[in-house]
Amino acid sequence: MGSSRALLLVAVAAAVAGLATANFRDDCDIPWEPQNARFTSDGNGLSMALVSNYSGCMLRTKKQFIYGTVSTLIQLVPGDSAGTVTTYYASSVGDNHDEIDFEFLGNETGQPYTLHTNIYADGVGNKEMQFKPWFDPTTGFHNYTISWSPCMIVWYVDSVPIRVFRNYQASHGVAFPTSRPMYAYSSIWAAEDWATQGGRVKTDWSKAPFVANYDNIQLDVCECSGSGGYGGCATGCNGACQLSAAEVGQMQWVQGNYRIYDYCVDYKRWVNGQKPVECDLQQY
């Protein structure tokens, strides 16, 4: 490991100190195309490859959880990554699923990645917010964190909150994930029909395999046993209900300078011209 990479890993790992250290090999499975995954000797590192339009890779935690924080370091596919999608997300299984997404949409060489976030609750999504990174996510590892509490969901990049989705289910009828256990996932797959500039730029398969690298997964979650829903999950994972003043400032800086799409201002997608309820409510 080079000295610069080692320093970066130490600095970013320190930012998530307090999370429970896990291990890719021991705490996760590879349910899709395991031949395209490579673990480091200690199991703390992982690479996943997209080999063809039909052969990518997926990792999934062995245990489910309701509420908690999942975090990992990712180095995205370098060079011409057009048409590729690397993901880090949490999702339930079955009908009317809940899901919390980080998706990283590749681009032509020299063009920025798109950091895509979304949330599904009771099977309904369409709450996308996208950003361009303020760093090159392909030259080193950066930390991506999803924090899910009964009060709110927060997406972090290198410990900087970029988005909050608060729980307004009881007060305003906005669907929020509260009862379906989730797994944490990572994957790499092909989506050249839409991922890069609306599908205008296709994947250059002569550049395959496309490889994303992962390091230092952290899981601080209320684990579930079996498939009994919340009744099979540990209790006490309440989490934070509000960002600090400093975090609010950080999020406003990111959204003011690096947000490139927000469903709340895309009036063409509003149902009957009506803005989604949560868009007029405080989200921090």
Side-chain angles (χ1 to χ4, degrees), residues 39-172:
F39 297 102
T40 58
S41 59
D42 60 5
N44 292 323
L46 167 73
S47 66
M48 293 195 295
L50 173 62
V51 177
S52 72
N53 196 32
Y54 307 102
S55 182
C57 196
M58 174 187 287
L59 170 130
R60 187 182 76 177
T61 56
K62 291 181 178 179
K63 294 182 179 180
Q64 295 172 292
F65 59 95
I66 290 184
Y67 305 131
T69 300
V70 295
S71 180
T72 194
L73 299 167
I74 307 175
Q75 182 178 21
L76 297 177
V77 176
D80 188 346
S81 57
T84 71
V85 179
T86 306
T87 72
Y88 184 60
Y89 65 104
S91 179
S92 66
V93 177
D95 295 336
N96 301 320
H97 81 297
D98 299 331
E99 185 172 322
I100 307 166
D101 288 339
F102 261 122
E103 293 186 336
F104 310 98
L105 313 184
N107 213 329
E108 298 173 284
T109 301
Q111 298 299 311
Y113 262 79
T114 295
L115 274 57
H116 175 98
T117 66
N118 198 6
I119 177 173
Y120 287 77
D122 296 336
V124 179
N126 301 322
K127 301 182 186 299
E128 300 92 341
M129 191 177 290
Q130 296 181 338
F131 307 82
K132 60 181 180 180
W134 54 96
F135 51 87
D136 185 343
T138 73
T139 58
F141 284 84
H142 292 268
N143 178 264
Y144 302 92
T145 299
I146 295 170
S147 176
W148 173 33
S149 78
C151 298
M152 62 183 185
I153 295 164
V154 188
W155 293 255
Y156 292 90
V157 177
D158 291 339
S159 296
V160 174
I162 65 171
R163 180 183 181 183
V164 171
F165 189 88
R166 294 195 66 84
N167 184 354
Y168 288 114
Q169 183 165 286
S171 61
H172 293 83

